[in-house]
Amino acid sequence: MAKEAADRTTIDLFADEKRRGRPRSNPLSREAQLRINKRNQVQRDKAKGLKRIELKVSQDLYDALNDKALASNISRSQLIECILKQVLDN
């Protein structure tokens, strides 16, 4: 029986070195996991009709947004969306 590199079920069946501790729960590297998770997040957002906007703000403004979002019991993203809607409606 030959070892198949793409086999996710028995990836460590023929491992040469013994490792201490808990075995890996995911055969993919952390970098690959993050890339897949990001792709899935983008697909979920796209299905919801959401668009991405990125901006840079000062630490003071960032802290103020976090505080206001916590006080309002909503996410920072939802708070920024509400603020933008209020400005555009006026």
Side-chain angles (χ1 to χ4, degrees):
M1 179 193 305
K3 179 179 177 183
E4 180 61 40
D7 184 9
R8 293 181 178 197
T9 307
T10 59
I11 195 163
D12 60 342
L13 184 64
F14 303 104
D16 295 332
E17 77 271 2
K18 299 270 186 192
R19 296 186 195 159
R20 291 181 43 182
R22 185 173 145 237
R24 289 177 58 162
S25 58
N26 194 325
L28 300 175
S29 69
R30 185 67 184 144
E31 181 181 330
Q33 291 177 42
L34 291 173
R35 191 171 44 250
I36 289 170
N37 290 343
K38 186 63 177 173
R39 183 176 350 132
N40 291 340
Q41 179 67 51
V42 168
Q43 289 173 349
R44 284 193 303 270
D45 288 347
K46 189 174 184 179
K48 292 178 184 176
L50 300 175
K51 300 291 183 187
R52 182 178 181 93
I53 297 177
E54 195 169 325
L55 63 132
K56 295 179 182 180
V57 296
S58 68
Q59 185 66 45
D60 293 337
L61 181 55
Y62 180 81
D63 292 337
L65 286 169
N66 279 339
D67 293 342
K68 180 71 172 174
L70 283 173
S72 301
N73 200 25
I74 59 174
S75 70
R76 188 175 58 243
S77 177
Q78 291 171 321
L79 175 64
I80 293 170
E81 186 174 352
C82 289
I83 293 169
L84 289 172
K85 283 181 181 178
Q86 287 175 359
V87 169
L88 290 176
D89 288 342
N90 290 337

